[in-house]
Amino acid sequence: MKYEDHFTAALDKLHEEGRYRTFIDIARENGNFPHAIWKKTDGSEAPVTVWCGNDYLGMGQHPVVLSAMHDALDAVGAGSGGTRNISGTTIYHKALEEELADLHGKEDALVFTSAYTANDATLSTLPKLLPGLIIYSDALNHASMIEGVRRNGGTKRIFRHNDLAHLRELLAADDPAVPKVIAFESIYSMDGDLAPIKQICDLADEFNAVTYLDEVHAVGMYGPRGGGVAERDGLMGRVDIINGTLAKAYGAMGGYIAASAKICDVIRSYAPGFIFTTSIAPALAAGASASVAFLKSDMQLREEHQAKANILKLRFCGLGLPVIDHKTHIVPLTVGNPIHTQKLSDKLLEDYGIYVQPINYPTVPRGTERLRFTPSPTHSMSDINKLVNAIDELWSHCALNRADLAS
């Protein structure tokens, strides 16, 4: 068998469908976020403005975070030295877990190398602990949740996205005595829409189910202390397990769950994704902890973040562009064709110094390909004007559809 031929065919298919992903090399400039330097393949350089990053608040370059990381690095060095079970638990990891438990009003928290790993490890371990468990998963849940639900033989039910009637129907059809978990997200990152958290919690109470909420695109940015949409809506106490990330609004790296002490302990003790993985570096834990603590009391960044997102959506709407607006910070612009989406991305980068990656299948359904913009408090009005003007010109150049503003 010529293995290389199979690999070539698989890559050729992506190219033909316009779905081949290209990465550019960028060097972020400390103190100049969201601006960066594009390192081209020919050895030249060009300035770019990043419009697709998940460092939503610019905390990855905040002095509070950098200072904490420098202090930890100078004190204990680079790596953690092992898994959490073998020398990889440090004072920085414990301090971070205490900050996160406090953030979500839970007894405990458990830090993983990423939110992907936290979702996968927790959701794949729960069926081992709860014989006969059925996991009810929203159809648009993140790939990490899908992978966690899929593995280890647990029974699953997929309910239509945010469809409470369908979820109720599935719950009612199953044995009341069987353990149940409802897994869903607060903000779905590709459309920016919100889950009906209260109503899902009501169904969980009615059918005696555990609630598992992924808040990765909300922690740090919603709620009076950045606890997420559940905190904003006064619902944290009704959610059993909250998953979050340290790599987006908090500007560091890592993920976690926050829950009761018993739940955290049993996942810590049984989940291979936790047990056998080297823990995050102490400097990362220190930086994340400082970021979480800082954003508990800083509302200004959250308010500026929402203001910039609203401005960008209004500007796009004013030009008749097909922006998806669910009143969150995520600003998707539907193109509907993978080749056009890639072309827009390439032209924005090459001609305007604007970096935004195309979002294609399988991340989103075919026919809904898009550019997904993530404004930050540090994007200036000049940055916004430049982006809007560039999109306006390219949309016309590519003869893409607009809304009829006169109707």
Side-chain angles (χ1 to χ4, degrees), residues 191-219:
D191 283 352
D193 57 328
L194 294 155
I197 300 175
K198 179 183 181 301
Q199 293 88 338
I200 291 176
C201 289
D202 290 342
L203 286 173
D205 289 345
E206 181 179 348
F207 290 95
N208 192 29
V210 170
T211 46
Y212 185 101
L213 177 62
D214 181 309
E215 288 258 39
V216 297
H217 289 277
V219 289

PDB file of all heavy atoms in Angstrom, residues 191-219:
ATOM      1  N   ASP A 191     -21.965  31.129  16.281  1.00  0.00           N
ATOM      2  CA  ASP A 191     -23.062  32.070  16.048  1.00  0.00           C
ATOM      3  C   ASP A 191     -23.143  33.137  17.136  1.00  0.00           C
ATOM      4  O   ASP A 191     -23.750  34.190  16.934  1.00  0.00           O
ATOM      5  CB  ASP A 191     -24.403  31.341  15.991  1.00  0.00           C
ATOM      6  CG  ASP A 191     -24.623  30.617  14.671  1.00  0.00           C
ATOM      7  OD1 ASP A 191     -23.796  30.807  13.757  1.00  0.00           O
ATOM      8  OD2 ASP A 191     -25.597  29.859  14.552  1.00  0.00           O
ATOM      9  N   GLY A 192     -22.569  32.840  18.303  1.00  0.00           N
ATOM     10  CA  GLY A 192     -22.644  33.772  19.422  1.00  0.00           C
ATOM     11  C   GLY A 192     -23.981  33.768  20.127  1.00  0.00           C
ATOM     12  O   GLY A 192     -24.314  34.722  20.847  1.00  0.00           O
ATOM     13  N   ASP A 193     -24.771  32.702  19.945  1.00  0.00           N
ATOM     14  CA  ASP A 193     -26.080  32.658  20.599  1.00  0.00           C
ATOM     15  C   ASP A 193     -25.981  32.052  21.991  1.00  0.00           C
ATOM     16  O   ASP A 193     -25.003  31.380  22.338  1.00  0.00           O
ATOM     17  CB  ASP A 193     -27.099  31.906  19.743  1.00  0.00           C
ATOM     18  CG  ASP A 193     -26.657  30.485  19.409  1.00  0.00           C
ATOM     19  OD1 ASP A 193     -25.440  30.244  19.281  1.00  0.00           O
ATOM     20  OD2 ASP A 193     -27.530  29.609  19.272  1.00  0.00           O
ATOM     21  N   LEU A 194     -27.011  32.294  22.793  1.00  0.00           N
ATOM     22  CA  LEU A 194     -27.024  31.916  24.204  1.00  0.00           C
ATOM     23  C   LEU A 194     -27.946  30.730  24.457  1.00  0.00           C
ATOM     24  O   LEU A 194     -29.004  30.600  23.821  1.00  0.00           O
ATOM     25  CB  LEU A 194     -27.499  33.096  25.062  1.00  0.00           C
ATOM     26  CG  LEU A 194     -26.571  34.311  25.094  1.00  0.00           C
ATOM     27  CD1 LEU A 194     -27.354  35.577  25.413  1.00  0.00           C
ATOM     28  CD2 LEU A 194     -25.483  34.103  26.127  1.00  0.00           C
ATOM     29  N   ALA A 195     -27.568  29.897  25.406  1.00  0.00           N
ATOM     30  CA  ALA A 195     -28.423  28.790  25.821  1.00  0.00           C
ATOM     31  C   ALA A 195     -29.480  29.284  26.802  1.00  0.00           C
ATOM     32  O   ALA A 195     -29.232  30.223  27.568  1.00  0.00           O
ATOM     33  CB  ALA A 195     -27.592  27.695  26.483  1.00  0.00           C
ATOM     34  N   PRO A 196     -30.658  28.655  26.817  1.00  0.00           N
ATOM     35  CA  PRO A 196     -31.673  28.959  27.839  1.00  0.00           C
ATOM     36  C   PRO A 196     -31.323  28.246  29.149  1.00  0.00           C
ATOM     37  O   PRO A 196     -31.924  27.227  29.496  1.00  0.00           O
ATOM     38  CB  PRO A 196     -32.966  28.431  27.205  1.00  0.00           C
ATOM     39  CG  PRO A 196     -32.507  27.294  26.336  1.00  0.00           C
ATOM     40  CD  PRO A 196     -31.151  27.669  25.833  1.00  0.00           C
ATOM     41  N   ILE A 197     -30.365  28.782  29.862  1.00  0.00           N
ATOM     42  CA  ILE A 197     -29.806  28.078  31.017  1.00  0.00           C
ATOM     43  C   ILE A 197     -30.866  27.796  32.078  1.00  0.00           C
ATOM     44  O   ILE A 197     -30.958  26.683  32.611  1.00  0.00           O
ATOM     45  CB  ILE A 197     -28.632  28.879  31.629  1.00  0.00           C
ATOM     46  CG1 ILE A 197     -27.525  29.062  30.585  1.00  0.00           C
ATOM     47  CG2 ILE A 197     -28.076  28.168  32.865  1.00  0.00           C
ATOM     48  CD1 ILE A 197     -26.374  29.931  31.056  1.00  0.00           C
ATOM     49  N   LYS A 198     -31.665  28.798  32.401  1.00  0.00           N
ATOM     50  CA  LYS A 198     -32.673  28.616  33.458  1.00  0.00           C
ATOM     51  C   LYS A 198     -33.637  27.491  33.103  1.00  0.00           C
ATOM     52  O   LYS A 198     -33.934  26.619  33.944  1.00  0.00           O
ATOM     53  CB  LYS A 198     -33.457  29.905  33.681  1.00  0.00           C
ATOM     54  CG  LYS A 198     -34.551  29.782  34.744  1.00  0.00           C
ATOM     55  CD  LYS A 198     -35.348  31.046  34.885  1.00  0.00           C
ATOM     56  CE  LYS A 198     -36.414  30.903  35.978  1.00  0.00           C
ATOM     57  NZ  LYS A 198     -37.364  29.777  35.681  1.00  0.00           N
ATOM     58  N   GLN A 199     -34.124  27.491  31.876  1.00  0.00           N
ATOM     59  CA  GLN A 199     -35.097  26.475  31.472  1.00  0.00           C
ATOM     60  C   GLN A 199     -34.474  25.086  31.448  1.00  0.00           C
ATOM     61  O   GLN A 199     -35.136  24.099  31.784  1.00  0.00           O
ATOM     62  CB  GLN A 199     -35.686  26.825  30.103  1.00  0.00           C
ATOM     63  CG  GLN A 199     -36.558  28.071  30.101  1.00  0.00           C
ATOM     64  CD  GLN A 199     -35.787  29.356  29.879  1.00  0.00           C
ATOM     65  OE1 GLN A 199     -34.565  29.406  30.126  1.00  0.00           O
ATOM     66  NE2 GLN A 199     -36.459  30.398  29.395  1.00  0.00           N
ATOM     67  N   ILE A 200     -33.204  24.996  31.061  1.00  0.00           N
ATOM     68  CA  ILE A 200     -32.529  23.697  31.083  1.00  0.00           C
ATOM     69  C   ILE A 200     -32.360  23.225  32.529  1.00  0.00           C
ATOM     70  O   ILE A 200     -32.553  22.040  32.839  1.00  0.00           O
ATOM     71  CB  ILE A 200     -31.177  23.770  30.348  1.00  0.00           C
ATOM     72  CG1 ILE A 200     -31.411  23.947  28.842  1.00  0.00           C
ATOM     73  CG2 ILE A 200     -30.343  22.517  30.612  1.00  0.00           C
ATOM     74  CD1 ILE A 200     -30.151  24.120  28.018  1.00  0.00           C
ATOM     75  N   CYS A 201     -32.026  24.150  33.419  1.00  0.00           N
ATOM     76  CA  CYS A 201     -31.916  23.786  34.840  1.00  0.00           C
ATOM     77  C   CYS A 201     -33.271  23.346  35.398  1.00  0.00           C
ATOM     78  O   CYS A 201     -33.341  22.429  36.231  1.00  0.00           O
ATOM     79  CB  CYS A 201     -31.369  24.964  35.646  1.00  0.00           C
ATOM     80  SG  CYS A 201     -29.625  25.321  35.364  1.00  0.00           S
ATOM     81  N   ASP A 202     -34.347  23.978  34.937  1.00  0.00           N
ATOM     82  CA  ASP A 202     -35.688  23.564  35.371  1.00  0.00           C
ATOM     83  C   ASP A 202     -35.970  22.130  34.939  1.00  0.00           C
ATOM     84  O   ASP A 202     -36.509  21.320  35.721  1.00  0.00           O
ATOM     85  CB  ASP A 202     -36.750  24.495  34.776  1.00  0.00           C
ATOM     86  CG  ASP A 202     -36.725  25.891  35.377  1.00  0.00           C
ATOM     87  OD1 ASP A 202     -36.137  26.069  36.464  1.00  0.00           O
ATOM     88  OD2 ASP A 202     -37.287  26.811  34.748  1.00  0.00           O
ATOM     89  N   LEU A 203     -35.603  21.797  33.703  1.00  0.00           N
ATOM     90  CA  LEU A 203     -35.791  20.423  33.227  1.00  0.00           C
ATOM     91  C   LEU A 203     -34.910  19.452  34.001  1.00  0.00           C
ATOM     92  O   LEU A 203     -35.340  18.326  34.316  1.00  0.00           O
ATOM     93  CB  LEU A 203     -35.472  20.345  31.731  1.00  0.00           C
ATOM     94  CG  LEU A 203     -36.500  20.946  30.777  1.00  0.00           C
ATOM     95  CD1 LEU A 203     -35.974  20.942  29.347  1.00  0.00           C
ATOM     96  CD2 LEU A 203     -37.828  20.194  30.867  1.00  0.00           C
ATOM     97  N   ALA A 204     -33.694  19.877  34.319  1.00  0.00           N
ATOM     98  CA  ALA A 204     -32.800  19.017  35.098  1.00  0.00           C
ATOM     99  C   ALA A 204     -33.393  18.725  36.475  1.00  0.00           C
ATOM    100  O   ALA A 204     -33.322  17.592  36.968  1.00  0.00           O
ATOM    101  CB  ALA A 204     -31.435  19.683  35.240  1.00  0.00           C
ATOM    102  N   ASP A 205     -33.990  19.730  37.099  1.00  0.00           N
ATOM    103  CA  ASP A 205     -34.639  19.514  38.396  1.00  0.00           C
ATOM    104  C   ASP A 205     -35.817  18.556  38.257  1.00  0.00           C
ATOM    105  O   ASP A 205     -36.002  17.646  39.077  1.00  0.00           O
ATOM    106  CB  ASP A 205     -35.135  20.852  38.961  1.00  0.00           C
ATOM    107  CG  ASP A 205     -33.999  21.754  39.408  1.00  0.00           C
ATOM    108  OD1 ASP A 205     -32.864  21.268  39.554  1.00  0.00           O
ATOM    109  OD2 ASP A 205     -34.250  22.964  39.597  1.00  0.00           O
ATOM    110  N   GLU A 206     -36.587  18.738  37.204  1.00  0.00           N
ATOM    111  CA  GLU A 206     -37.786  17.915  37.014  1.00  0.00           C
ATOM    112  C   GLU A 206     -37.437  16.456  36.768  1.00  0.00           C
ATOM    113  O   GLU A 206     -38.128  15.552  37.267  1.00  0.00           O
ATOM    114  CB  GLU A 206     -38.596  18.468  35.835  1.00  0.00           C
ATOM    115  CG  GLU A 206     -39.880  17.702  35.559  1.00  0.00           C
ATOM    116  CD  GLU A 206     -40.665  18.289  34.397  1.00  0.00           C
ATOM    117  OE1 GLU A 206     -40.337  19.418  33.951  1.00  0.00           O
ATOM    118  OE2 GLU A 206     -41.592  17.605  33.916  1.00  0.00           O
ATOM    119  N   PHE A 207     -36.350  16.224  36.028  1.00  0.00           N
ATOM    120  CA  PHE A 207     -35.994  14.853  35.649  1.00  0.00           C
ATOM    121  C   PHE A 207     -34.767  14.332  36.405  1.00  0.00           C
ATOM    122  O   PHE A 207     -34.190  13.319  36.023  1.00  0.00           O
ATOM    123  CB  PHE A 207     -35.755  14.780  34.136  1.00  0.00           C
ATOM    124  CG  PHE A 207     -37.009  14.948  33.317  1.00  0.00           C
ATOM    125  CD1 PHE A 207     -37.357  16.195  32.825  1.00  0.00           C
ATOM    126  CD2 PHE A 207     -37.843  13.876  33.074  1.00  0.00           C
ATOM    127  CE1 PHE A 207     -38.517  16.364  32.069  1.00  0.00           C
ATOM    128  CE2 PHE A 207     -39.001  14.028  32.327  1.00  0.00           C
ATOM    129  CZ  PHE A 207     -39.349  15.285  31.825  1.00  0.00           C
ATOM    130  N   ASN A 208     -34.374  15.032  37.468  1.00  0.00           N
ATOM    131  CA  ASN A 208     -33.277  14.592  38.333  1.00  0.00           C
ATOM    132  C   ASN A 208     -31.993  14.362  37.545  1.00  0.00           C
ATOM    133  O   ASN A 208     -31.365  13.298  37.623  1.00  0.00           O
ATOM    134  CB  ASN A 208     -33.665  13.313  39.084  1.00  0.00           C
ATOM    135  CG  ASN A 208     -32.680  12.992  40.202  1.00  0.00           C
ATOM    136  OD1 ASN A 208     -32.054  13.898  40.776  1.00  0.00           O
ATOM    137  ND2 ASN A 208     -32.529  11.713  40.505  1.00  0.00           N
ATOM    138  N   ALA A 209     -31.596  15.384  36.774  1.00  0.00           N
ATOM    139  CA  ALA A 209     -30.389  15.293  35.953  1.00  0.00           C
ATOM    140  C   ALA A 209     -29.314  16.238  36.470  1.00  0.00           C
ATOM    141  O   ALA A 209     -29.601  17.280  37.066  1.00  0.00           O
ATOM    142  CB  ALA A 209     -30.711  15.622  34.494  1.00  0.00           C
ATOM    143  N   VAL A 210     -28.073  15.871  36.231  1.00  0.00           N
ATOM    144  CA  VAL A 210     -26.927  16.730  36.528  1.00  0.00           C
ATOM    145  C   VAL A 210     -26.757  17.710  35.366  1.00  0.00           C
ATOM    146  O   VAL A 210     -26.907  17.324  34.199  1.00  0.00           O
ATOM    147  CB  VAL A 210     -25.649  15.881  36.703  1.00  0.00           C
ATOM    148  CG1 VAL A 210     -24.400  16.759  36.768  1.00  0.00           C
ATOM    149  CG2 VAL A 210     -25.764  15.007  37.943  1.00  0.00           C
ATOM    150  N   THR A 211     -26.444  18.965  35.674  1.00  0.00           N
ATOM    151  CA  THR A 211     -26.197  19.954  34.611  1.00  0.00           C
ATOM    152  C   THR A 211     -24.700  20.172  34.441  1.00  0.00           C
ATOM    153  O   THR A 211     -23.966  20.382  35.405  1.00  0.00           O
ATOM    154  CB  THR A 211     -26.880  21.288  34.937  1.00  0.00           C
ATOM    155  OG1 THR A 211     -26.634  21.642  36.302  1.00  0.00           O
ATOM    156  CG2 THR A 211     -28.378  21.208  34.700  1.00  0.00           C
ATOM    157  N   TYR A 212     -24.260  20.142  33.180  1.00  0.00           N
ATOM    158  CA  TYR A 212     -22.851  20.345  32.819  1.00  0.00           C
ATOM    159  C   TYR A 212     -22.807  21.493  31.825  1.00  0.00           C
ATOM    160  O   TYR A 212     -23.280  21.373  30.693  1.00  0.00           O
ATOM    161  CB  TYR A 212     -22.270  19.075  32.198  1.00  0.00           C
ATOM    162  CG  TYR A 212     -20.788  19.158  31.905  1.00  0.00           C
ATOM    163  CD1 TYR A 212     -19.859  18.574  32.765  1.00  0.00           C
ATOM    164  CD2 TYR A 212     -20.300  19.826  30.783  1.00  0.00           C
ATOM    165  CE1 TYR A 212     -18.492  18.653  32.506  1.00  0.00           C
ATOM    166  CE2 TYR A 212     -18.948  19.919  30.521  1.00  0.00           C
ATOM    167  CZ  TYR A 212     -18.047  19.331  31.381  1.00  0.00           C
ATOM    168  OH  TYR A 212     -16.694  19.413  31.120  1.00  0.00           O
ATOM    169  N   LEU A 213     -22.246  22.629  32.241  1.00  0.00           N
ATOM    170  CA  LEU A 213     -22.265  23.850  31.431  1.00  0.00           C
ATOM    171  C   LEU A 213     -20.863  24.276  31.031  1.00  0.00           C
ATOM    172  O   LEU A 213     -20.005  24.525  31.875  1.00  0.00           O
ATOM    173  CB  LEU A 213     -22.927  24.981  32.231  1.00  0.00           C
ATOM    174  CG  LEU A 213     -22.962  26.361  31.566  1.00  0.00           C
ATOM    175  CD1 LEU A 213     -23.758  26.332  30.272  1.00  0.00           C
ATOM    176  CD2 LEU A 213     -23.527  27.397  32.524  1.00  0.00           C
ATOM    177  N   ASP A 214     -20.660  24.396  29.715  1.00  0.00           N
ATOM    178  CA  ASP A 214     -19.399  24.898  29.175  1.00  0.00           C
ATOM    179  C   ASP A 214     -19.507  26.417  29.031  1.00  0.00           C
ATOM    180  O   ASP A 214     -20.318  26.920  28.261  1.00  0.00           O
ATOM    181  CB  ASP A 214     -19.161  24.246  27.807  1.00  0.00           C
ATOM    182  CG  ASP A 214     -17.863  24.684  27.145  1.00  0.00           C
ATOM    183  OD1 ASP A 214     -17.632  25.903  27.053  1.00  0.00           O
ATOM    184  OD2 ASP A 214     -17.096  23.814  26.698  1.00  0.00           O
ATOM    185  N   GLU A 215     -18.667  27.144  29.786  1.00  0.00           N
ATOM    186  CA  GLU A 215     -18.686  28.617  29.785  1.00  0.00           C
ATOM    187  C   GLU A 215     -17.411  29.203  29.174  1.00  0.00           C
ATOM    188  O   GLU A 215     -17.044  30.338  29.474  1.00  0.00           O
ATOM    189  CB  GLU A 215     -18.829  29.132  31.225  1.00  0.00           C
ATOM    190  CG  GLU A 215     -20.193  28.939  31.850  1.00  0.00           C
ATOM    191  CD  GLU A 215     -21.017  30.219  31.870  1.00  0.00           C
ATOM    192  OE1 GLU A 215     -20.956  30.984  30.886  1.00  0.00           O
ATOM    193  OE2 GLU A 215     -21.696  30.459  32.868  1.00  0.00           O
ATOM    194  N   VAL A 216     -16.744  28.462  28.279  1.00  0.00           N
ATOM    195  CA  VAL A 216     -15.419  28.907  27.845  1.00  0.00           C
ATOM    196  C   VAL A 216     -15.443  30.247  27.132  1.00  0.00           C
ATOM    197  O   VAL A 216     -14.473  31.019  27.202  1.00  0.00           O
ATOM    198  CB  VAL A 216     -14.714  27.849  26.961  1.00  0.00           C
ATOM    199  CG1 VAL A 216     -14.458  26.577  27.723  1.00  0.00           C
ATOM    200  CG2 VAL A 216     -15.489  27.586  25.683  1.00  0.00           C
ATOM    201  N   HIS A 217     -16.532  30.554  26.414  1.00  0.00           N
ATOM    202  CA  HIS A 217     -16.597  31.833  25.705  1.00  0.00           C
ATOM    203  C   HIS A 217     -17.306  32.904  26.529  1.00  0.00           C
ATOM    204  O   HIS A 217     -17.696  33.940  25.984  1.00  0.00           O
ATOM    205  CB  HIS A 217     -17.276  31.659  24.352  1.00  0.00           C
ATOM    206  CG  HIS A 217     -16.433  30.913  23.366  1.00  0.00           C
ATOM    207  ND1 HIS A 217     -15.445  31.516  22.613  1.00  0.00           N
ATOM    208  CD2 HIS A 217     -16.399  29.597  23.042  1.00  0.00           C
ATOM    209  CE1 HIS A 217     -14.856  30.613  21.857  1.00  0.00           C
ATOM    210  NE2 HIS A 217     -15.405  29.439  22.095  1.00  0.00           N
ATOM    211  N   ALA A 218     -17.432  32.669  27.818  1.00  0.00           N
ATOM    212  CA  ALA A 218     -18.119  33.636  28.677  1.00  0.00           C
ATOM    213  C   ALA A 218     -17.349  33.989  29.939  1.00  0.00           C
ATOM    214  O   ALA A 218     -17.509  35.097  30.464  1.00  0.00           O
ATOM    215  CB  ALA A 218     -19.503  33.100  29.060  1.00  0.00           C
ATOM    216  N   VAL A 219     -16.511  33.075  30.450  1.00  0.00           N
ATOM    217  CA  VAL A 219     -15.810  33.374  31.688  1.00  0.00           C
ATOM    218  C   VAL A 219     -14.875  34.563  31.490  1.00  0.00           C
ATOM    219  O   VAL A 219     -14.222  34.700  30.453  1.00  0.00           O
ATOM    220  CB  VAL A 219     -15.025  32.153  32.232  1.00  0.00           C
ATOM    221  CG1 VAL A 219     -15.986  31.097  32.753  1.00  0.00           C
ATOM    222  CG2 VAL A 219     -14.089  31.572  31.188  1.00  0.00           C
TER     223      VAL A 219
END
